[in-house]
Amino acid sequence: MARRRTSRRTATVSIFARAPWVRQVLYVCGMVLLLGTVTGCVGAKPRAIVAYSNEVTVHELSAAPIRPAERRDIVALPLQRSQTALLQRIFVYGAETLHKHVDHDLIVFLARGKGVIRLGAQSFPMRAGDVVFIERGVAHAFRNTDHQGSLALVISVPPARPDDRVELQLPH
């Protein structure tokens, strides 16, 4: 049975055609991550610097949000929300269930830790400094493999809503 190949360029163009502002957000995020990687800042003591409404705040990302005895598999803490995007820091100590989002795309930057991300039927190892773009509708899940937990900065475009997560069953 022949598999139909879809060009990445076609898929990318369709994302930008539906929401042209995605290109701008991706460009800015890409440049920030590239500069951090090139200058050796990634992996040191990560910070999120947020400029919004003419105010700048700096968030230290290395500290865990909760004591180890109270750990849950996933702890999501919003850093900033605008009309076009949501920036969250997400601590993962266990694993996410397989799910998808109907109305938003994700940009995931793994700031600390390591794990395995499942995208559709494929799985990929991740380590600090890796970036993943997940288009809405793509089934995904992250499983932490670091004994101290993993920390990701996640940008949802447009901003995520709690009712946008659709849990999926693993295929048998």
Side-chain angles (χ1 to χ4, degrees):
M1 179 177 195
R3 287 179 62 177
R4 183 176 169 226
R5 285 184 53 100
T6 305
S7 122
R8 288 184 194 175
R9 181 168 170 76
T10 304
T12 303
V13 170
S14 69
I15 293 168
F16 296 143
R18 284 193 315 232
W21 47 267
V22 170
R23 180 180 300 233
Q24 294 171 342
V25 171
L26 289 175
Y27 176 77
V28 170
C29 293
M31 292 308 294
V32 168
L33 295 174
L34 177 64
L35 288 172
T37 302
V38 169
T39 60
C41 296
V42 172
K45 287 195 175 188
R47 300 178 297 165
I49 302 171
V50 177
Y52 187 74
S53 297
N54 295 322
E55 291 186 28
V56 177
T57 56
V58 178
H59 303 273
E60 297 294 333
L61 302 176
S62 56
I66 51 180
R67 293 192 311 270
E70 300 171 349
R71 282 190 179 163
R72 298 183 304 246
D73 279 352
I74 299 169
V75 178
L77 301 172
L79 291 175
Q80 188 64 56
R81 177 184 288 271
S82 72
Q83 292 180 349
T84 56
L86 169 65
L87 173 62
Q88 298 182 84
R89 63 179 171 165
I90 300 183
F91 293 85
V92 183
Y93 300 104
E96 289 183 296
T97 57
L98 188 65
H99 65 282
K100 67 179 181 179
H101 302 283
V102 178
D103 294 326
H104 70 269
D105 302 324
L106 296 173
I107 302 164
V108 179
F109 170 66
L110 193 62
R112 185 185 73 211
K114 60 185 176 179
V116 176
I117 190 157
R118 180 175 173 173
L119 300 168
Q122 297 181 320
S123 294
F124 301 91
M126 287 188 73
R127 63 184 182 276
D130 286 350
V131 178
V132 178
F133 175 81
I134 305 170
E135 184 180 16
R136 64 195 75 189
V138 174
H140 61 280
F142 180 79
R143 180 175 44 85
N144 174 57
T145 60
D146 190 296
H147 70 281
Q148 294 182 350
S150 293
L151 166 64
L153 284 180
V154 178
I155 301 170
S156 304
V157 181
R161 297 182 332 270
D163 63 343
D164 187 38
R165 182 182 171 111
V166 177
E167 297 293 330
L168 301 172
Q169 298 294 321
L170 289 172
H172 297 294

